[in-house]
Amino acid sequence: MKVNLQRTTIRKACIIGSGVMGAAIAAHLANAGLTVLLLDRVPERLTEEEMRQELTLASPQVRNRYAAQALQRLRKTQPAPLYDESFITRIHAGNMEDDLTKIQDADWIIEAVTERLDVKQQVLSQIARWRREDAIVSTNTSGISIEAMSAHLDRSFREHFLGTHFFNPPRYMKLLEIIPGRLTKPEAVAAVRSFAEQRLGKGVVLAKDTPNFIANRIGTYGLLITLREMMKARLSVEEVDAITGPAMGRPKSATFRTLDLVGLDTFLHVADNVRRHAASPEEREVFTPPEVLHEMVKRGWLGEKSGSGFYRKVKSEQGSTILALNLASMDYAKAGKPSYPALEAARAAKGAAAKIRALVEGGDRSSEFSWNVLKHVLLYAAEKAGEIADSIVEIDRAMRWGFNWQLGPFETWDALGLARTAARMEQDGLVLPKWVQDWLAAGNDSFYKQEGGMRKVVINGAWREEETDSTHLSLQRFKEQGRIIERNNGASLIDIGDGAVCLEFHSPNQAIGGDILMMIQRSVEIVEERYEALIIANEARHFCVGANLMLLLMEAQDEEWDEIDRIIRLFQDTMMRLKYCTKPVIAAPHSMTLGGGLEVCLAASRVYAAAETYCGLVEAGVGLIPAGGGCKELILRLSETLADVPAADMQPYVNRIFETIGMAKVSTSAHHAKRLGLLREQDRITASRDRQLYEAKRLALELAASGYLPPEARPIKVVGRDGKAVLQLGARQLHLGGQISDHDLTIADKLAHVLAGGDVPPGTLVSEAYLLDLEREAFLSLCGEPKTQQRMQAMLATGKPLRN
């Protein structure tokens, strides 16, 4: 029977191995809506608790203990591996003796047992006995050979077998390395790749079956080179982390915080895998870790999981102190804050490319060290390009998605200037790979270039267009093609084709100020005149952190109450203009979507959220309440929901809204946002940030094609003065219990007044304009409170809420 694997629908999965990775992969498959069977071995002895319960080794709860315990850990793990805690019901615990036959129902079977070749071979043999003929089988491994694992199995199994290296934690890390075996069918690779990109939100790279594949091969080399150069330069742990963090286009965890997160024992295992399989003595030498790492493992200083690593947190009555390890003396001392001129210049520079140039070209000790690290990493990536991947694009993507580098090795080389950097390497006595020499000799000075709005890359010694998925729409690319319709300092309106336009916020942190509000209003005018639909989206780190708090604080401190009133009226009027736009408006939030950012979403016709959207009406944290229609919109939606149930009691639902806003709750995912009532059931969610704009555009055009009509303005039923009393009583009880401060109570009273609809009789029907007036009045009065101004000032200074 010939099976078209590319069209295989993956609905059921089985994970074998319920350790940290196996359970977390099961959770993320459950996030994607799959039914998941999680299996592990059968325990050999009873625990004391099981003996107290008079269980036996034959009891199902004993036989399923390991997988069941993994499910319990998932409930407690932070950050949460599940989008919503209810999704855990999609995972079913079992064991490999009683339940192995059930894998016949699985479309995808993932082996995730311990990183030992013999153990994996044994488990794969068991899977081979029971898997369905068309089922795909993959192994989650960080570097063991796919061929070595499956060589003893028949051809049919090997045609359906591949490596799937998930990065930890699977929900949050974008990279998935897919490693085909020698006999793996392209259809099997395509099926897993398609599912991973669309349903799991992964960035997939195809790796060759070599030790540690792509990201761990380059990343481990880079960490070991950093250690080697650190010892030569006699730098401290803190100095190296300061240099190899954001200044070098790397994450804040830099080198040693990363190693502490990974675990020293795990890192040594990964390094040893390359050392044992490396072809050249030079590479084996590089992948031989310094003795200090082995000494740390002997002492149990493994990193975060043991409480001590390169850093150690010490708690005292005065608070927590971070200590850093001195590798020469093996003693801990209070971590310092290193500073070099080049480092400060890099911190001040805008963009990863400019930061790296400022660091490397600064001419001080930090510059010399950063150059000595980078030159070896860039050369190693170039030397291994054909061995570990078919394209330098795969290597760059793997390092961006797997190690959170802002630029991959070849993008970094371009940022520093390929010809100039290559000449400097040769001056240092290093030898360039032949393909790089040939590329330079042909007159080229970069690995990538922009041409005709498309990015091209060197592949096999020639320029080729970088392959991109047609569903990955890029605002940056649209702008490079000259498709900006209008723009100001806060936002741009961009033509994204087919009658759709996208409004992109690009103020600092996408904070909403007058320029963005004016551009929203202008965008609505343009769309209503000439286009079919409007999408609000951006490619920044966050969707929108709310209103411009600095501007608001300055006006409040100057007692410019009329100006604040004008700003809030403009905000409210803009949100109403957006809501009643005659063409569909789709908001596409991601990551932080707070305060006014969420109010923009509440005003949209629909929301197409990224799964990783953390949204909330958080104004109470700075001593305020939502005043851009957030309170009004949640009460309006409640009123509409209960309109067909005249006898329904609104109060419990209003209580919930009061708690959500008053406690400044932020969702842990878009799915959680639905449970909090911040998104509606008809709002959609995608796991793929890369596809989000495409999918939002498609939804917008579908609504337009179906004859979209804006919502009708309807009266809103409120709970009135009696409901307000209930809300205020709840707040006073919290105050009496010491759970909220005096000022929290003041804010709660104002919020209760707005959500209840003021002092009107229960069941009164009010208008949107009436509730917006209540919002604005409460907001203005709170702006005049000294403690609110203190909260705003603290948030701007520290990024953390002040409880005063």
Side-chain angles (χ1 to χ4, degrees):
M1 179 177 69
K2 186 176 181 180
V3 180
N4 187 342
L5 287 169
Q6 194 164 4
R7 295 187 179 180
T8 296
T9 300
I10 298 177
R11 293 193 181 94
K12 294 183 178 181
C14 176
I15 310 294
I16 297 180
S18 65
V20 172
M21 282 301 295
I25 293 169
H28 200 43
L29 295 182
N31 286 335
L34 298 193
T35 299
V36 184
L37 178 63
L38 182 62
L39 305 181
D40 211 314
R41 66 191 190 282
V42 174
E44 296 178 353
R45 58 181 62 86
L46 296 171
T47 65
E48 292 183 7
E49 178 61 27
E50 288 166 344
M51 286 187 280
R52 280 195 294 271
Q53 295 177 19
E54 298 184 351
L55 299 174
T56 71
L57 288 174
S59 301
Q61 54 265 61
V62 174
R63 296 178 70 78
N64 295 342
R65 183 210 302 159
Y66 293 127
Q69 286 178 338
L71 295 187
Q72 291 303 314
R73 288 195 302 272
L74 286 177
R75 296 178 188 272
K76 301 174 184 177
T77 301
Q78 293 298 327
L82 292 160
Y83 290 150
D84 190 283
E85 59 188 26
S86 66
F87 292 176
I88 202 161
T89 59
R90 298 171 180 170
I91 309 174
H92 306 281
N95 69 76
M96 290 181 64
E97 291 183 14
D98 303 327
D99 303 303
L100 200 57
T101 59
K102 294 179 182 177
I103 70 172
Q104 295 173 93
D105 295 330
D107 306 303
W108 184 10
I109 303 160
I110 302 176
E111 168 273 304
V113 299
T114 188
E115 283 283 87
R116 275 181 46 188
L117 177 59
D118 58 337
V119 175
K120 287 183 177 289
Q121 288 172 328
Q122 182 183 358
V123 171
L124 291 176
S125 295
Q126 292 177 277
I127 293 171
R129 288 181 57 203
W130 296 106
R131 77 170 184 93
R132 203 174 63 235
E133 182 183 354
D134 62 338
I136 296 171
V137 182
S138 70
T139 174
N140 181 63
T141 175
S142 60
I144 298 177
S145 168
I146 307 306
E147 283 297 301
M149 271 188 241
S150 59
H152 65 295
L153 297 169
D154 65 32
R155 185 179 185 90
S156 174
F157 183 95
R158 295 173 69 189
E159 288 175 344
H160 295 77
F161 180 64
L162 63 154
T164 47
H165 179 204
F166 287 84
F167 275 61
N168 191 30
R171 170 183 164 182
Y172 299 96
M173 292 300 292
K174 182 173 180 176
L175 180 61
L176 174 66
E177 291 179 324
I178 290 181
I179 311 97
R182 185 169 56 85
L183 299 180
T184 307
K185 287 186 174 181
E187 296 89 345
V189 174
V192 174
R193 179 172 198 156
S194 175
F195 183 86
E197 289 177 339
Q198 295 181 32
R199 299 284 297 280
L200 299 179
K202 293 298 174 188
V204 172
V205 299
L206 295 182
K208 294 189 177 183
D209 190 9
T210 56
N212 289 11
F213 313 130
I214 300 175
N216 276 350
R217 183 75 170 265
I218 302 294
T220 303
Y221 177 88
L223 288 167
L224 289 168
I225 285 294
T226 300
L227 277 165
R228 188 183 76 183
E229 294 300 324
M230 166 195 185
M231 291 173 180
K232 286 183 182 177
R234 297 184 179 181
L235 295 175
S236 69
V237 164
E238 308 99 293
E239 287 175 310
V240 170
D241 270 359
I243 297 167
T244 61
M248 198 183 274
R250 309 287 172 80
K252 289 181 180 179
S253 57
T255 298
F256 295 109
R257 292 186 191 279
T258 296
L259 284 170
D260 277 354
L261 287 168
V262 169
L264 267 290
D265 51 344
T266 301
F267 175 75
L268 289 179
H269 172 78
V270 172
D272 188 59
N273 189 51
V274 179
R275 185 190 60 77
R276 287 185 290 109
H277 294 96
S280 71
E282 294 80 11
E283 192 169 13
R284 285 195 292 273
E285 182 183 352
V286 171
F287 279 89
T288 301
E291 185 56 38
V292 66
L293 298 189
H294 293 286
E295 178 61 28
M296 289 174 69
V297 171
K298 287 178 187 176
R299 298 188 185 201
W301 298 349
L302 306 180
E304 277 208 353
K305 60 187 173 185
S306 67
S308 295
F310 290 99
Y311 294 95
R312 176 187 289 173
K313 181 184 285 188
V314 177
K315 294 183 179 180
S316 66
E317 293 181 0
Q318 288 74 38
S320 297
T321 303
I322 302 297
L323 306 180
L325 182 64
N326 182 316
L327 296 185
S329 66
M330 296 301 282
D331 294 323
Y332 286 94
K334 186 176 180 180
K337 294 184 178 180
S339 178
Y340 291 98
L343 189 54
E344 296 308 317
R347 286 169 175 162
K350 301 295 184 183
K355 287 180 183 294
I356 295 170
R357 284 194 297 271
L359 179 65
V360 171
E361 297 168 5
D364 62 19
R365 197 173 176 218
S366 67
S367 302
E368 182 181 2
F369 171 75
S370 60
W371 166 248
N372 286 335
V373 169
L374 282 173
K375 69 183 180 184
H376 289 294
V377 173
L378 301 185
L379 273 179
Y380 186 74
E383 289 166 2
K384 297 301 171 187
E387 177 185 333
I388 64 178
D390 285 328
S391 158
I392 67 170
V393 174
E394 304 288 302
I395 295 174
D396 279 345
R397 289 175 177 173
M399 299 315 299
R400 291 201 315 270
W401 297 341
F403 276 71
N404 291 323
W405 291 11
Q406 291 186 51
L407 299 174
F410 298 96
E411 293 165 324
T412 299
W413 210 333
D414 277 1
L416 291 172
L418 173 57
R420 183 173 66 254
T421 309
R424 186 175 174 185
M425 289 175 180
E426 290 178 325
Q427 287 172 6
D428 288 352
L430 301 175
V431 179
L432 301 172
K434 186 175 186 306
W435 75 269
V436 177
Q437 294 180 29
D438 292 344
W439 187 242
L440 287 165
N444 298 292
D445 189 26
S446 66
F447 294 114
Y448 295 91
K449 69 176 180 179
Q450 292 292 139
E451 190 173 277
M454 301 296 292
R455 190 160 92 146
K456 292 190 173 183
V457 60
V458 54
I459 297 177
N460 296 326
W463 287 113
R464 299 282 187 271
E465 283 189 7
E466 183 180 354
E467 287 188 17
T468 56
D469 192 315
S470 61
T471 65
H472 296 182
L473 301 186
S474 166
L475 291 179
Q476 181 60 35
R477 187 164 294 169
F478 284 128
K479 287 186 287 187
E480 289 167 356
Q481 293 170 354
R483 298 174 74 168
I484 295 176
I485 300 167
E486 283 195 20
R487 76 180 306 278
N488 64 20
N489 289 334
S492 295
L493 187 64
I494 305 160
D495 185 341
I496 60 173
D498 304 310
V501 294
C502 181
L503 179 61
E504 176 196 36
F505 299 168
H506 46 63
S507 59
N509 291 318
Q510 291 62 56
I512 298 174
D515 45 7
I516 284 182
L517 295 174
M518 296 306 295
M519 185 56 77
I520 291 175
Q521 295 214 18
R522 179 62 181 143
S523 297
V524 171
E525 291 175 10
I526 292 172
V527 169
E528 288 183 330
E529 290 173 3
R530 308 202 301 266
Y531 293 91
E532 297 300 318
L534 171 65
I535 295 99
I536 303 176
N538 64 62
E539 293 169 347
R541 182 181 176 191
H542 301 300
F543 177 74
C544 177
V545 298
N548 187 329
L549 195 60
M550 175 64 79
L551 175 63
L552 186 62
L553 176 60
M554 290 170 61
E555 300 290 1
Q557 289 175 334
D558 291 343
E559 300 185 357
E560 295 286 349
W561 311 123
D562 288 343
E563 179 60 18
I564 294 175
D565 181 75
R566 187 194 68 79
I567 292 169
I568 301 307
R569 283 180 186 273
L570 175 62
F571 202 137
Q572 292 180 340
D573 291 346
T574 303
M575 293 304 100
M576 291 292 280
R577 186 77 180 89
L578 196 62
K579 178 176 180 177
Y580 289 102
C581 177
T582 58
K583 302 292 178 66
V585 176
I586 308 298
H590 65 277
S591 195
M592 291 298 179
T593 303
L594 305 176
L598 179 55
E599 287 174 314
V600 169
C601 297
L602 293 173
S605 314
R606 295 283 191 282
V607 173
Y608 213 129
E612 300 297 346
T613 298
Y614 318 120
C615 60
L617 296 168
V618 297
E619 286 82 355
V622 290
L624 299 167
I625 69 160
C631 298
K632 175 266 297 182
E633 195 62 31
L634 294 188
I635 294 299
L636 181 152
R637 291 179 180 185
L638 172 60
S639 176
E640 290 179 341
T641 300
L642 299 180
D644 296 330
V645 192
D649 182 6
M650 287 183 68
Q651 191 67 51
Y653 302 99
V654 177
N655 294 349
R656 183 181 173 192
I657 294 171
F658 180 65
E659 180 181 330
T660 298
I661 298 176
M663 302 299 289
K665 289 186 177 181
V666 176
S667 72
T668 56
S669 70
H671 295 274
H672 183 218
K674 283 193 173 185
R675 193 148 55 83
L676 289 175
L678 302 175
L679 296 181
R680 299 161 294 188
E681 279 307 308
Q682 63 263 42
D683 291 329
R684 299 188 189 178
I685 300 170
T686 177
S688 174
R689 275 282 289 125
D690 291 330
R691 291 172 56 90
Q692 186 182 11
L693 181 57
Y694 169 84
E695 292 177 354
K697 174 184 171 182
R698 186 169 64 174
L699 173 60
L701 294 176
E702 284 174 1
L703 289 175
S706 63
Y708 173 81
L709 293 173
E712 293 181 22
R714 295 178 180 174
I716 304 163
K717 185 179 179 181
V718 294
V719 294
R721 54 177 169 259
D722 292 355
K724 172 182 171 181
V726 172
L727 299 178
Q728 290 177 326
L729 176 61
R732 275 160 177 70
Q733 288 175 336
L734 291 174
H735 182 251
L736 288 170
Q739 294 175 264
I740 63 174
S741 69
D742 292 347
H743 194 50
D744 290 327
L745 183 61
T746 299
I747 299 164
D749 282 342
K750 301 284 187 183
L751 179 61
H753 184 74
V754 174
L755 294 178
D759 293 317
V760 298
T764 298
L765 297 177
V766 301
S767 67
E768 289 185 80
Y770 171 81
L771 288 180
L772 289 173
D773 285 345
L774 293 184
E775 282 187 6
R776 192 173 63 257
E777 290 163 6
F779 189 94
L780 275 166
S781 66
L782 286 169
C783 280
E785 294 277 349
K787 288 189 176 180
T788 285
Q789 294 179 22
Q790 290 169 13
R791 289 191 179 192
M792 288 193 280
Q793 204 155 13
M795 179 61 73
L796 289 167
T798 69
K800 297 178 181 178
L802 171 69
R803 294 299 303 276
N804 58 351

